[in-house]
Amino acid sequence: MSRPLIEAKGLSVRYGGATALSDVDFSIGRGEIVTVVGPNGSGKSTLLRAIVGSERPFAGRITRAPGLRLGYVPQRLAIDPTLPLTVRRFLGLPRRTSAAAAQEALERAGVPDISTRQVAGLSGGQLQRVLLARALLAEPDLLLLDEATAGLDQPGAAAFYRRIEDLRAETGCAVLMVSHDLHVVMSASDRVICLNGHICCEGTPEVVAEAPDYRRLFGEGTQGALALYRHEHRGHRHDPGHHHHHHHDDARAAG
């Protein structure tokens, strides 16, 4: 096993007197897809901020591989929606970007034709793709996604997950995804981590779906089930007619 891209040992984070995270051991390796799930207030975003470096640990330490490049896809855009701003201009903030690099990032994110559009006029799904494109400009070793599919409908979320899977295959980047969508985890996840102030359980999606802790935390309303989005590879020709149907049958069959 090569050195992890990032590793946390005994990580604790406190706000005021309250402990947001306690004694978390976490690592992610090159090319790995890891999903973190947990209820609101479980410390998911705190973990992400600690990894990005915008949150100081109260205890423990975080080591990053030398020269680690991070791409961060925030949950929402902190920008005035009334600002006249094209996608192309937005991709050039805060660092100037060549037109070719911007275009390549948009293509990788699956929205090749929107560089001249106004950011304010984009749909939620398009905006997510633009934020993804912006993160890809960093040519990340590790792509961090904070609840990136919040507000997307299920086909939209499934399509977004497939895009992330393809990106991992194309670029070899690792992916750390924080998901509020407890019972929808990308099946390509190598590991799922259940967080509730500490790590309750972790393992492959199939293992976590059966874990008693997972069922206790998320069992109500989800029957403890983890719906897994399967990426169907048909010789990599994506048949438009087939995009949305089969995912639920697959999830059941895989369960």
Side-chain angles (χ1 to χ4, degrees):
M1 180 75 191
S2 60
R3 285 194 42 203
L5 292 175
I6 206 149
E7 187 170 26
K9 278 260 197 288
L11 176 70
S12 297
V13 179
R14 301 183 68 169
Y15 295 115
T19 303
L21 280 181
S22 70
D23 204 24
V24 168
D25 291 341
F26 167 84
S27 75
I28 185 167
R30 218 161 266 292
E32 212 184 356
I33 295 183
V34 176
T35 300
V36 178
V37 296
N40 279 334
S42 60
K44 302 186 304 277
S45 295
T46 303
L47 178 62
L48 218 51
R49 286 197 300 270
I51 287 168
V52 174
S54 62
E55 191 67 69
R56 293 196 65 86
F58 172 74
R61 63 168 198 277
I62 295 184
T63 26
R64 294 178 183 81
L68 178 70
R69 292 193 305 271
L70 297 177
Y72 181 62
V73 182
Q75 197 178 335
R76 51 182 67 84
L77 186 56
I79 202 163
D80 179 353
T82 60
L83 270 183
L85 183 65
T86 63
V87 167
R88 169 73 189 93
R89 280 273 322 277
F90 172 69
L91 290 178
L93 306 172
R95 282 184 295 282
R96 295 184 74 94
T97 315
S98 76
Q103 187 53 38
E104 188 192 354
L106 287 171
E107 277 165 19
R108 283 198 187 259
V111 281
D113 309 322
I114 65 174
S115 65
T116 58
R117 299 271 305 276
Q118 289 291 324
V119 170
L122 298 178
S123 73
Q126 289 169 327
L127 185 54
Q128 254 348 88
R129 299 302 181 105
V130 169
L131 292 173
L132 175 60
R134 189 185 187 196
L136 292 174
L137 286 168
E139 295 182 7
D141 306 301
L142 175 56
L143 189 58
L144 302 158
L145 302 157
D146 188 7
E147 307 206 3
T149 55
L152 300 186
D153 63 7
Q154 254 185 330
F160 189 83
Y161 286 151
R162 281 198 297 272
R163 187 69 262 169
I164 296 294
E165 254 176 85
D166 286 343
L167 279 170
R168 193 250 311 243
E170 290 161 18
T171 69
C173 68
V175 178
L176 176 60
M177 208 157 30
V178 164
S179 178
H180 71 296
D181 200 350
L182 301 178
H183 46 281
V184 178
V185 168
M186 192 160 67
S187 61
S189 299
D190 298 297
R191 273 187 300 145
V192 176
I193 296 175
C194 284
L195 204 60
N196 197 14
H198 62 281
I199 292 178
C200 310
C201 53
E202 73 175 283
T204 63
E206 286 74 12
V207 168
V208 165
E210 297 303 315
D213 276 334
Y214 178 85
R215 291 178 168 244
R216 257 200 305 284
L217 269 179
F218 310 128
E220 303 76 52
T222 62
Q223 295 91 45
L226 204 54
L228 301 179
Y229 275 131
R230 294 263 171 238
H231 190 161
E232 294 136 39
H233 281 289
R234 299 194 175 67
H236 224 90
R237 194 192 65 210
H238 283 297
D239 271 303
H242 286 297
H243 252 89
H244 306 310
H245 318 328
H246 309 310
H247 294 287
H248 293 297
D249 307 338
D250 283 9
R252 261 201 301 283

